[in-house]
Amino acid sequence: MNDVVLLSEDVRKASVSNEPIAAYDQLRQACPVIHDRHLHWTLLRHKDVLALLNDHQTFSNAVSRHLSVPNGMDQPEHTVYRALIEPYFNQERLSAFEPVCRQIAVNLVKQAPKNREFEFIEDFARVYAVQVQCAYLGWPESLQASLVQWVRKNHQATQAQDHQAMSEIALEFDGYIRSLLAARRQAGDQAPDDLTTALMRETINGELIPDEVLVSILRNWTVGELGTIAACIGILVKYLAGHLKLQHQLRYKPKLLPAAIDEILRIHPPLIASRRVSTKAVTIAGQKIEAGERLTLLWASANRDETVFGNPDVFQPDRDPSLNLLYGAGIHACPGAPLARLELRLVMEELLRDTSRFSLGENISPVHAKYPAGGFDVLPVKLFVETCCGSCS
């Protein structure tokens, strides 16, 4: 227990450091399970995190005081809602959405500043995340500006751990969803034929889904998607800006992008952690954990575990994909992973297609997001395009 006592504040310190990923690496090598008064029992090794993900009897997902469908549920309730949700991310829906998503990426890349430095997270990544999510759900374009502002406010409140502001901002988002549901009910048969309307018409045990459950489902889809997609795009652009040979290769061989994207996001995870609660006493890496204790699964450490991946910073896209915990594992693996992969592939294809190269800006340094957010708060970028010399007319 001495290691736990000595390191009890180090998880929190690592989380708010300037280089949190490197700090997690050091912690993992020093002590695989750490008790922290902020994050409780924190697991840093790949094998321990994977074991918890696959043991949903011993470790419960019901960790929040608020309704969270389905990721905050356990079996058998989780199974029911998971079966309802998964078809919304099937290949038929994704194929229909792909041209819409690509056009959003095309438009944003064309509109982005060229040959000069600009703030990439605020002015591109978050805008793309909001636009594609609204398009997928069938939400009106008039809502996009409000959602971009909401994402900014939510991020700032989360970073500051301002719980009152976080609660108020959460209620604001729920208000957006309830207004959308009310508008569709008022429209009746004339309601838009989109994913949100389809979800409203679903039933469980012959009964329409109550509004509180609809709001929870749509909140989880949207809030998670907005922050994570923006973080992923920032990480990908930052990495490729620093690896020009790989950037060049992917520009001319876009078929390599899917594996490359997953590997880059393993090297620099966009998702920092998730939570569980123990349902019975258990021992992990020699540490006795009692029933009812909270645990933090530190993705940002587990997906870089050198005992699984060797040197975690080595780019190796042909790794066994089952080892990559980017989208989780077990019954709670992210149901929206196919959609996320599509959105990331398309935006990276268009960024690479419409530029000759991109690099980091020179005037401001990138700033890592702090726990619980991943990626970057600030990312100055230059998108370069070739300009005609005037002699090719």
Side-chain angles (χ1 to χ4, degrees):
M1 198 67 178
N2 288 338
D3 285 341
V4 175
V5 173
L6 289 172
L7 294 167
S8 61
E9 288 297 311
D10 282 6
V11 180
R12 177 64 176 173
K13 290 178 182 176
S15 299
V16 298
S17 69
N18 291 331
E19 295 287 344
I21 303 301
Y24 295 144
D25 287 345
Q26 292 179 350
L27 286 178
R28 179 182 61 254
Q29 293 161 14
C31 187
V33 179
I34 301 173
H35 192 274
D36 178 270
R37 67 188 181 93
H38 300 281
L39 302 181
H40 311 285
W41 289 102
T42 304
L43 278 59
L44 295 101
R45 292 191 307 195
H46 187 280
K47 72 175 184 179
D48 296 327
V49 169
L50 185 59
L52 259 72
L53 294 174
N54 287 318
D55 187 356
H56 50 269
Q57 299 296 332
T58 306
F59 303 99
S60 169
N61 261 51
V63 296
S64 176
R65 295 172 298 166
H66 307 289
L67 181 65
S68 182
V69 183
N71 50 307
M73 293 176 163
D74 296 322
Q75 291 182 318
E77 192 176 27
H78 169 267
T79 306
V80 173
Y81 283 101
R82 181 74 182 218
L84 181 146
I85 286 169
E86 284 186 341
Y88 286 87
F89 302 99
N90 63 23
Q91 190 55 53
E92 181 181 359
R93 283 190 180 274
L94 295 185
S95 296
F97 181 60
E98 181 166 350
V100 176
C101 186
R102 185 178 293 280
Q103 191 59 53
I104 292 171
V106 167
N107 292 343
L108 279 178
V109 173
K110 287 189 180 299
Q111 294 165 11
K114 305 299 191 303
N115 302 318
R116 66 177 176 85
E117 186 173 321
F118 74 105
E119 213 303 288
F120 186 79
I121 300 299
E122 182 74 15
D123 296 336
F124 187 96
R126 288 176 182 162
V127 177
Y128 177 74
V130 166
Q131 289 190 7
V132 295
Q133 183 68 0
C134 285
Y136 195 69
L137 294 173
W139 292 2
E141 290 186 11
S142 59
L143 186 57
Q144 291 177 7
S146 296
L147 284 180
V148 169
Q149 292 289 335
W150 183 90
V151 170
R152 184 183 302 113
K153 290 189 296 183
N154 184 58
H155 182 79
Q156 292 170 347
T158 303
Q159 295 279 276
Q161 286 296 286
D162 184 338
H163 295 285
Q164 180 176 349
M166 290 164 67
S167 295
E168 292 171 355
I169 291 166
L171 288 174
E172 178 185 339
F173 191 86
D174 287 1
Y176 293 142
I177 299 176
R178 291 183 185 279
S179 295
L180 291 165
L181 299 180
R184 281 164 168 72
R185 289 202 176 94
Q186 186 174 3
D189 293 341
Q190 302 304 311
D193 182 18
D194 57 30
L195 188 149
T196 300
T197 300
L199 187 64
M200 292 175 65
R201 293 171 178 165
E202 295 280 4
T203 60
I204 297 289
N205 298 323
E207 299 289 336
L208 289 171
I209 300 173
D211 273 9
E212 65 175 355
V213 175
L214 289 172
V215 169
S216 178
I217 292 172
L218 291 168
R219 182 200 310 120
N220 286 338
W221 283 357
T222 308
V223 174
E225 183 84 356
L226 295 179
T228 305
I229 290 296
C232 287
I233 298 169
I235 291 167
L236 293 168
V237 167
K238 164 72 162 54
Y239 189 89
L240 292 179
H243 297 80
L244 292 179
K245 184 177 179 180
L246 176 60
Q247 184 187 140
H248 180 80
Q249 181 184 32
L250 295 176
R251 183 170 277 110
Y252 292 99
K253 294 183 179 180
K255 67 180 181 180
L256 301 178
L257 264 171
I261 288 171
D262 278 10
E263 174 67 353
I264 292 169
L265 297 178
R266 181 203 61 76
I267 292 171
H268 188 142
L271 297 170
I272 302 301
S274 63
R275 299 179 295 164
R276 297 290 190 274
V277 174
S278 57
T279 62
K280 61 183 179 183
V282 65
T283 299
I284 303 174
Q287 302 298 336
K288 180 70 176 293
I289 298 173
E290 301 295 340
E293 298 221 43
R294 292 182 173 271
L295 300 99
T296 296
L297 284 60
L298 204 60
W299 307 106
S301 169
N303 235 11
R304 292 176 50 83
D305 190 332
E306 54 282 332
T307 65
V308 176
F309 302 106
N311 183 339
D313 289 311
V314 171
F315 175 80
Q316 187 178 325
D318 60 350
R319 296 182 192 274
D320 180 352
S322 68
L323 297 175
N324 192 336
L325 301 178
L326 174 60
Y327 294 103
I331 65 171
H332 292 285
C334 178
L339 174 62
R341 285 189 166 107
L342 174 73
E343 292 172 351
L344 295 175
R345 174 177 63 82
L346 294 179
V347 73
M348 292 311 298
E349 283 181 0
E350 296 308 320
L351 275 167
L352 291 165
R353 189 197 317 274
D354 208 41
T355 62
S356 55
R357 67 182 174 91
F358 45 79
S359 66
L360 295 181
E362 300 169 351
N363 299 318
I364 302 174
S365 298
V367 177
H368 280 278
K370 299 296 190 294
Y371 184 91
F376 297 91
D377 279 343
V378 177
L379 187 67
V381 167
K382 283 186 177 181
L383 303 178
F384 292 93
V385 294
E386 299 292 346
T387 55
C388 180
C389 65
S391 61
C392 53
S393 57

